[in-house]
Amino acid sequence: MSLRLREFKVKVAVTVALTWPAVQGCFPDFGELTSGRETSGVGGVATGGTIGAGAGEGGGGMAGNGPSATGGVLVAAGSTSVGKGGAVGATGGAATGGRISPSGGAGTAPWPACTGPAGQALKAGPTAYATAPRLIQDDFTIEAWIATTTARTGAHFWNGSPVIWADVAGNDNDFGMSALNGKLVMSVGTSGSADAEVTSTSTVATGQWVHVAVTRQMAAGKVQVFVNGVLEASMVANRASLNRQPILTMGKDPANSVFLDGRMDEVKLWNTVRTQAEIQAGMHQPLGENEPGLVGYYRFDEIIGTSLRDNSSALNHATAVGSGALVASDAPLCDASISNGGAAGSAGAAGSAGAAGSAGVSGFAGAAGSAQAGGSGGASASATAGRSAGAGTSP
C-alpha cells in the first residue's frame, strides 16, 4: 500500500485601483444679458485624471511546492513575504511484508503475522524426544518455539516440563530449562552448591506457540530469560563452564523420564550472547547455515532414519528417539523473502519554501485634465449690443 498526498499550488495577486471622482469645471456667469439672446459661454469642464494603482500592490508569495506542501501565506499589500515551506511528507512508503512505517520511520517486522509454512516440529512425549552432543557451555544463547498446555508444578525447575536439558543428578556445573507452574524457568548448577533459578513473568504453557530464549554470559555469571523476544528476568549465577552433562536433550528430563508433552520447533543454539534486538529480529526467521556463532539449528524438517539434520555449519546432527517424533508444524515462521519485515518507509520530501512576493510598484498619478476653452459670447441680436461674455475660467 502507498499513500500519496495531493500537491496544491496557490498563486494570489492582489490588485488595488483607486479612482478619484471626476472634477467638474465651474459654470460662471459669463456676462450679463441685457436684452437679446446672448447665451452665456459655457465654461470648460475639466475632468481629473484617474490616479494610477496605488503604491504597495504586492503580489502574493507562491505556495510551497513540495509534496504535501502547505501553501504560502498571502502577501499583504505593499510588502514582501516568503511563502511558507511545504511540510515534510506525513507517511513513509508501505513496508513490504511489514507494517506501514510511521512518518518515514523504520519498517517494523510484522510479529506475529507470519504463520508458516513451518514444515515439521518435534513432538515431545509421550515417548518421543531428541538428543544431540552438547556444544554450548560458556557464553551461549538458547532459543526455541514451544506449544504446550502442560506445565507441571513444584518448587524447582526439575519439577517442571523439560524444554532443554543438560542437567545431571546432584549439584554440578550444568543447566536446564523447563515450564514450571506455567512459567519458563532457567537453572544454572554449581558444583557443591544449590542450583540458581530465574523465572519468567509471562505464562508459556498456553497451548499456543510461544518463543522462549535464555542467554548466559560466563564472565559475569549473568543469565537472562526472554519470552516472545522480551527480556523478563535475569540473575547472576555460576561463572564456571557448564560442561558436566555431555548430552543435550530436547523435550525430556532423561533422569526422571518426564516429557514436555507438547511440540517444539526451530531450536537454535548459539555460542554467543544474543541481544534482545537480535532475538527479536530472528525469532520468526528461518536462518542460513553460516550464521556466526550458530552451533546447533534443529528445524525438524529433515530426517534420515533417526538422524535429524543440524542446519548450522556445525553439522551436529541430533537423534530422534521414540515413535511419532515429528508432526506438522504451524509455528509462526515467515517465508525467507519477507522474514525481515518490510523495508523502511521513506520519509516524504520536504516542501520547498514559497518564493518571496514582490512589492507592488507605486502607481503614477493621472495627468491633470485640461480645461476646455471658455465658450465665446453670443453675437448681438438687436440694436443694443450685449456685453461680451467673459472667457471661461479654468476649473
Side-chain angles (χ1 to χ4, degrees):
M1 178 178 67
S2 64
L3 301 179
R4 179 173 296 174
L5 302 181
R6 295 181 181 272
E7 179 177 346
F8 293 89
K9 292 188 178 181
V10 179
K11 183 174 182 180
V12 177
V14 178
T15 303
V16 178
L18 300 179
T19 303
W20 293 99
V23 180
Q24 295 183 348
C26 300
F27 294 86
D29 184 0
F30 288 104
E32 263 182 34
L33 298 180
T34 56
S35 65
R37 301 186 181 186
E38 301 91 347
T39 303
S40 60
V42 178
V45 178
T47 302
T50 299
I51 302 298
E57 185 184 311
M62 292 296 296
N65 59 3
S68 304
T70 300
V73 268
L74 301 183
V75 178
S79 64
T80 59
S81 177
V82 176
K84 183 178 180 181
V88 175
T91 305
T96 302
R99 301 174 186 149
I100 294 175
S101 59
S103 302
T108 55
W111 318 142
C114 301
T115 58
Q120 299 182 105
L122 173 67
K123 180 185 178 184
T127 60
Y129 62 100
T131 64
R134 176 193 46 76
L135 298 184
I136 54 174
Q137 60 188 28
D138 300 331
D139 288 349
F140 61 77
T141 299
I142 302 170
E143 300 182 63
W145 283 96
I146 63 172
T148 181
T149 55
T150 302
R152 298 165 64 88
T153 60
H156 299 285
F157 91 101
W158 61 79
N159 300 129
S161 303
V163 179
I164 300 294
W165 215 258
D167 185 64
V168 295
N171 297 323
D172 218 321
N173 296 327
D174 52 14
F175 62 91
M177 292 170 58
S178 71
L180 176 69
N181 302 321
K183 314 292 185 181
L184 181 69
V185 179
M186 175 66 178
S187 172
V188 172
T190 302
S191 180
S193 300
D195 291 351
E197 299 176 353
V198 59
T199 304
S200 72
T201 58
S202 296
T203 299
V204 298
T206 63
Q208 303 298 315
W209 285 103
V210 177
H211 188 270
V212 295
V214 170
T215 64
R216 192 253 181 168
Q217 183 183 31
M218 183 176 72
K222 187 175 184 179
V223 178
Q224 297 178 307
V225 171
F226 301 79
V227 175
N228 289 329
V230 178
L231 174 62
E232 294 198 348
S234 63
M235 70 175 180
V236 174
N238 185 4
R239 293 177 173 84
S241 289
L242 306 180
N243 56 7
R244 184 66 180 85
Q245 174 57 265
I247 300 299
L248 184 141
T249 303
M250 293 169 270
K252 182 184 179 181
D253 169 7
N256 297 304
S257 294
V258 174
F259 295 86
L260 174 63
D261 291 329
R263 293 175 293 166
M264 182 182 301
D265 206 354
E266 291 289 305
V267 175
K268 301 171 184 175
L269 307 175
W270 308 78
N271 62 10
T272 59
V273 179
R274 304 274 283 172
T275 66
Q276 176 172 276
E278 289 171 330
I279 292 171
Q280 290 176 347
M283 58 190 276
H284 292 268
Q285 179 180 354
L287 302 179
E289 294 184 354
N290 297 313
E291 299 288 336
L294 188 63
V295 295
Y297 182 24
Y298 304 104
R299 305 197 64 193
F300 307 110
D301 293 337
E302 298 177 64
I303 186 170
I304 299 177
T306 60
S307 181
L308 290 166
R309 181 178 176 179
D310 173 13
N311 288 83
S312 78
S313 59
L315 300 178
N316 186 33
H317 304 307
T319 300
V321 181
S323 61
L326 300 183
V327 294
S329 176
D330 57 355
L333 304 177
C334 296
D335 180 83
S337 64
I338 59 171
S339 57
N340 284 324
S346 300
S352 302
S358 300
V361 178
S362 297
F364 294 99
S370 300
Q372 293 181 3
S376 300
S380 174
S382 63
T384 305
R387 288 188 299 175
S388 297
T393 59
S394 180

